[in-house]
Amino acid sequence: MTLPDTAANPAGADRTFQVDLRGLVDLLSHHLYSSPRVYLRELMQNAVDALTARYALEPAAPTGPFGIRLYADGSVVRVEDDGVGLTEADVHTFLATIGRSSKRAERIAEQRGDFIGQFGIGLLSCFLVADEIHVLSRSARTPDAPAVEWRGRGDGSYTVRTLPSSARPRPGTTVTLTPRADAGEWTRPAQVHALARHFGSLLRHPVTFDDGTGGPDGPGVPVNPEPAPWARTYPTPGARSRALAAYGEEVFGFTPLDTIELDLPAVGLKGIACVLPEAVPAGRRHGHRVHVKGMLLSEQAEEILPDWAFFVRCVVDAESLRPTASRESLYEDDTLAAVRDALAERLRAWIARAAASDPDLLHRFLQAHHLAVKSLAVHDDEILRMLLPWLPFETTDGHCTLDEFARTHRTVLVTSSVEEFRQVAAIASAAGLGVVNGGYTYDRELVHRLPEIRPEATVADLDPATLTAHLDPVDRETELAAAAYLAQARDALAVFDCDVALRTFHPASAPALLVDSREARHERTRSQLAREQEGGLWGDILGALRHEAPRAQLILNQLNPLVRTAVTIDEPELARTSAEALYGQAAMLSRRPLRPAESSLINRSFLDLLAHALRKDS
């Protein structure tokens, strides 16, 4: 430990932070940057910003000769640009001071929005793959400026030398890295070329790559030979559409159902949204590729679109979006919020166009992404009015649109759960009732809004009373003849708080219907708990909430031959067993989860009936 020098630093004097560069680089590699591969992006980014500053300094400069050249042969990685370059004072100020950016230089400070980087720490990322960084630069601000050499080392030391201008004949900067042995994964020539294409394929300045082999392509293979696909000209709108779709397939690996062109001039954003051809799980958000001024910022930028837009994947290039310090995601600010809203409006407009002019495309889109549209329609009245009649729902008429269903059924009944729908679907259909399964996400809420679009339609929740009211009663003689059996059945099923009734309904193949809502089961469970907690604190609380618990109903179908035989049973035990078996079968047909007592009842009744049949045969 080093003791402070009190003579050199008297009490109360200002002191300077000591920075452990090794520790800082380790911090960057583990917490700021996602991977060492970003070193090349940072070097290319600095080169692009230097070129931007050069054009700001020389507005009339030709665009062709200025560019970025990459070189990697396995022993070194070099990035060279024709940008504004650095003076010796710039080197001391910007390369040797962590956190200070050359973009803050006086003559270009007001133009910081033109630059990709804003934080002045990008060069440090090179220490993720190399122990030494060599920079050779010559400033374009002074005609006869000398060349300046800077060598920075991972231990925090650096040297600066001024060289004759002949050491670098043209203004610009060359950064050379000697990779560490453990960094070969990121510095091999093929990998450097792949990373350059990955990060810089949409850059506006020419970028070339040379691996030193003088292969068939020769030195200086173009990294970004063509502008972004949306920036090119095409002979016909159809050719443009096909080219954008092909680019989307190349980037994302799927053939888009359709491609939506995105253009927000206010923030300099252009790009495409590719509509996924298949459904995705609700709420699953895909990452989007976001470029800032041509440089790839992120492949997983979820924040560029709202949550409901999970049916598309986007690739965009923007001028005015702010990157975070790592330059791997977007800074959440008012600009990003406005962009998100504007892109959402573009997606709504695409849906509207499909609904108005391309019913085939709309049908294919809704088949795959009806859940996403339902999510949007819940909160967006315009989409609701436009698409609710077209959205598919599960109904007693099969899967169909609400528009088709409402034309057949003036009163539309909707269940509160999937199990309730499955419980009553066949019988409700036979009774002529129009029931929609409201148990899926958003469905019940949307069905209840149908009268906003179709005023002639009536929507109501389905309850047991509505269904049983449509079941025909049996005649008095039949009811009296079955009274003894029904009493035995009620006694056997009392443990399930279940009443038993005899009715006639179709289809005749259904022996029984169990009418029991989820809310009723919850209320009975609460009542049972209150009885068990009688006299305790919880008993008092639950007792205060308790009211007459609704009972389930097992409705036996007199049209069914098995039921007609069962109600004539005069043997008490066999009558109880048959009633339990009918209850168990009806419970299974409802497709709701069985309670342990119900599972036990089903097994017991089956074995009892089997034993009775064997005794009878013997």
Side-chain angles (χ1 to χ4, degrees):
M1 178 176 178
T2 303
L3 295 175
D5 185 349
T6 55
N9 295 285
D14 289 341
R15 299 171 184 268
T16 303
F17 283 105
Q18 300 299 310
V19 177
D20 179 353
L21 190 58
R22 285 284 188 196
L24 183 58
V25 171
D26 183 68
L27 182 68
L28 293 177
S29 63
H30 288 93
H31 299 286
L32 186 63
Y33 296 122
S34 60
S35 163
R37 68 177 185 166
V38 300
Y39 82 92
L40 189 67
R41 184 198 65 195
E42 296 294 327
L43 290 178
M44 294 173 65
Q45 194 161 273
N46 286 342
V48 170
D49 287 342
L51 287 167
T52 302
R54 179 80 181 268
Y55 284 114
L57 184 69
E58 305 173 28
T63 56
F66 294 167
I68 302 169
R69 295 169 292 281
L70 310 179
Y71 177 89
D73 61 4
S75 59
V76 298
V77 175
R78 188 164 61 240
V79 179
E80 181 178 4
D81 67 69
D82 299 308
V84 72
L86 299 170
T87 64
E88 182 178 357
D90 292 337
V91 167
H92 284 290
T93 302
F94 303 122
L95 297 189
T97 304
I98 295 172
R100 182 176 295 175
S101 173
S102 60
K103 288 80 172 177
R104 296 185 177 94
E106 289 182 6
R107 279 186 278 183
I108 59 174
E110 68 278 6
Q111 298 162 332
R112 290 181 69 220
D114 296 333
F115 301 97
I116 303 171
Q118 302 285 332
F119 297 91
I121 58 175
L123 196 63
L124 286 181
S125 65
C126 296
F127 286 121
L128 300 176
V129 297
D131 288 324
E132 183 174 285
I133 305 170
H134 176 255
V135 178
L136 182 63
S137 187
R138 180 179 170 188
S139 176
R141 294 194 175 89
T142 305
D144 297 322
V148 182
E149 179 190 64
W150 178 87
R151 289 183 184 272
R153 289 170 284 276
D155 60 7
S157 62
Y158 72 94
T159 58
V160 178
R161 289 195 303 162
T162 300
L163 304 176
S165 57
S166 58
R168 182 177 174 89
R170 296 187 300 174
T173 300
T174 302
V175 180
T176 304
L177 309 178
T178 302
R180 292 195 306 271
D182 62 354
E185 177 184 358
W186 308 109
T187 57
R188 290 193 297 268
Q191 180 70 301
V192 172
H193 188 201
L195 290 176
R197 288 184 58 82
H198 179 72
F199 289 120
S201 62
L202 299 186
L203 287 175
R204 292 81 183 268
H205 301 289
V207 183
T208 58
F209 173 78
D210 182 7
D211 62 4
T213 62
D217 295 328
V221 178
V223 168
N224 54 342
E226 295 182 298
W230 47 81
R232 303 173 203 164
T233 56
Y234 300 91
T236 64
R240 182 180 184 85
S241 179
R242 289 190 294 272
L244 294 179
Y247 180 73
E249 184 172 1
E250 176 187 346
V251 170
F252 296 123
F254 63 82
T255 302
L257 184 66
D258 197 18
T259 304
I260 308 165
E261 194 159 357
L262 306 173
D263 187 4
L264 303 178
V267 292
L269 183 146
K270 290 181 178 292
I272 56 173
C274 297
V275 182
L276 290 156
E278 298 177 349
V280 293
R284 177 181 171 184
R285 300 187 66 185
H286 288 288
H288 307 288
R289 288 177 65 97
V290 175
H291 299 251
V292 175
K293 301 176 180 68
M295 182 68 72
L296 178 64
L297 182 79
S298 174
E299 297 174 272
Q300 300 297 326
E302 297 180 353
E303 62 273 20
I304 197 74
L305 287 180
D307 291 347
W308 56 261
F310 54 82
F311 56 88
V312 297
R313 295 193 69 182
C314 293
V315 52
V316 299
D317 184 21
E319 295 286 336
S320 301
L321 295 178
R322 290 177 59 194
T324 58
S326 66
R327 293 189 279 278
E328 295 186 324
S329 59
L330 294 171
Y331 186 82
E332 188 70 46
D333 58 9
D334 291 343
T335 300
L336 179 57
V339 166
R340 185 164 48 236
D341 290 344
L343 292 179
E345 187 56 39
R346 297 297 187 277
L347 298 184
R348 289 190 187 93
W350 174 82
I351 295 174
R353 286 196 302 273
S357 60
D358 197 337
D360 179 62
L361 174 61
L362 179 67
H363 175 70
R364 288 184 287 124
F365 170 66
L366 291 179
Q367 270 192 321
H369 301 295
H370 59 272
L371 187 58
V373 178
K374 287 178 179 178
S375 170
L376 176 58
V378 167
H379 307 289
D380 190 309
D381 290 345
E382 182 180 351
I383 293 295
L384 177 79
R385 289 191 297 272
M386 187 188 311
L387 293 183
L388 181 59
W390 298 89
L391 290 173
F393 289 83
E394 185 179 7
T395 76
T396 46
D397 290 353
H399 282 83
C400 61
T401 67
L402 279 187
D403 193 53
E404 295 168 336
F405 196 67
R407 284 200 297 265
T408 307
H409 304 279
R410 291 291 299 272
T411 298
V412 176
L413 302 172
V414 58
T415 64
S416 60
S417 66
V418 174
E419 63 188 47
E420 184 180 336
F421 176 80
R422 290 171 177 169
Q423 198 172 327
V424 304
I427 292 154
S429 177
L433 296 176
V435 183
V436 178
N437 186 349
Y440 295 114
T441 307
Y442 312 118
D443 283 14
R444 183 166 175 266
E445 184 176 354
L446 288 172
V447 173
H448 272 288
R449 298 189 67 180
L450 178 62
E452 299 177 28
I453 316 301
R454 298 283 183 268
E456 67 278 8
T458 302
V459 176
D461 286 324
L462 176 70
D463 57 44
T466 304
L467 181 63
T468 54
H470 284 78
L471 305 182
D472 295 327
V474 296
D475 58 71
R476 184 172 179 78
E477 290 75 14
T478 303
E479 183 82 31
L480 289 173
Y485 179 84
L486 295 178
Q488 293 278 3
R490 293 185 185 109
D491 184 61
L493 301 179
V495 66
F496 299 114
D497 288 317
C498 184
D499 193 11
V500 183
L502 187 64
R503 298 285 188 274
T504 62
F505 55 85
H506 292 278
S509 59
L513 167 67
L514 182 60
V515 179
D516 189 18
S517 68
R518 180 182 300 177
E519 291 74 13
R521 291 198 301 275
H522 286 174
E523 177 60 31
R524 292 198 300 274
T525 301
R526 187 174 66 185
S527 298
Q528 176 65 29
L529 183 59
R531 289 193 296 270
E532 293 172 357
Q533 299 288 338
E534 193 77 38
L537 175 62
W538 277 111
D540 293 340
I541 294 174
L542 293 171
L545 296 175
R546 182 172 58 196
H547 51 79
E548 184 63 29
R551 306 190 73 193
Q553 266 197 314
L554 179 67
I555 303 175
L556 304 180
N557 187 4
Q558 176 65 18
L559 297 180
N560 183 269
L562 179 63
V563 171
R564 288 201 300 272
T565 301
V567 297
T568 64
I569 297 174
D570 54 9
E571 184 181 336
E573 286 303 317
L574 182 58
R576 291 176 62 89
T577 300
S578 65
E580 290 173 343
L582 289 168
Y583 176 90
Q585 190 257 2
M588 287 191 296
L589 287 178
S590 71
R591 301 184 188 181
R592 63 168 171 81
L594 296 177
R595 291 174 283 179
E598 291 172 330
S599 298
S600 176
L601 174 141
I602 292 170
N603 292 331
R604 186 179 68 251
S605 62
F606 170 76
L607 293 175
D608 287 349
L609 288 173
L610 181 61
H612 176 81
L614 292 175
R615 284 197 305 270
K616 184 177 179 181
D617 289 341
S618 63

